[in-house]
Amino acid sequence: MSQNGYNPDPHRHPGLHVIALLEASKAMLALLAATGLEMLGPQPLRDGVNALIRRFSLDPDHGTLPSLLNMISPDAVHLAAAAMIGYGLLHLVEAWGLWKAKAWASWLGCLTASIYLPFDIYAIIRHPGWASASVLVINLVVVYVLARDLRKRKR
């Protein structure tokens, strides 16, 4: 135990371990998605957007989806994959830090989870239901657990 009563033993922080597993899962999904993008290239994305345009009988020459379709290129796919790799690595580092009960990881996790909260609230307003409410509750619990961890470290 430290002078402030905080026990630095990572095994004494099961909440951090649960969040670390959640972050590691997000990291793995992002890395898998990046790998899939690189392996498949832009054509499956173009096919998917074309299917949406046909499915909803949209104008194939005007609107958001046709504009998106024009932006899907090999370079755009590489850029998106690189962004996903960066996102995945950030969450992987965060997961490792949380698993080891590092203060910097609690700060990072609290910050990144807090950034999502306005989007979660917007999602509930636009698409009310149990799925969007569950995501908001999970992010609120993550922020609470990490903020509580940081507060305990300061005592």
Side-chain angles (χ1 to χ4, degrees), residues 9-91:
D9 178 13
H11 294 97
R12 305 291 291 164
H13 304 280
L16 296 183
H17 285 173
V18 171
I19 296 170
L21 292 173
L22 178 67
E23 295 303 318
S25 298
K26 290 195 293 191
M28 291 299 121
L29 287 173
L31 294 172
L32 282 171
T35 302
L37 272 177
E38 284 298 327
M39 289 175 64
L40 298 174
Q43 196 54 50
L45 292 175
R46 295 182 65 75
D47 293 344
V49 172
N50 275 321
L52 287 172
I53 290 170
R54 283 191 307 274
R55 167 72 174 99
F56 294 106
S57 302
L58 300 174
D59 183 351
D61 299 320
H62 300 92
T64 304
L65 287 177
S67 296
L68 176 65
L69 188 60
N70 292 331
M71 294 177 3
I72 299 172
S73 68
D75 289 340
V77 167
H78 294 316
L79 184 61
M84 285 183 194
I85 288 169
Y87 178 86
L89 291 176
L90 175 70
H91 284 284

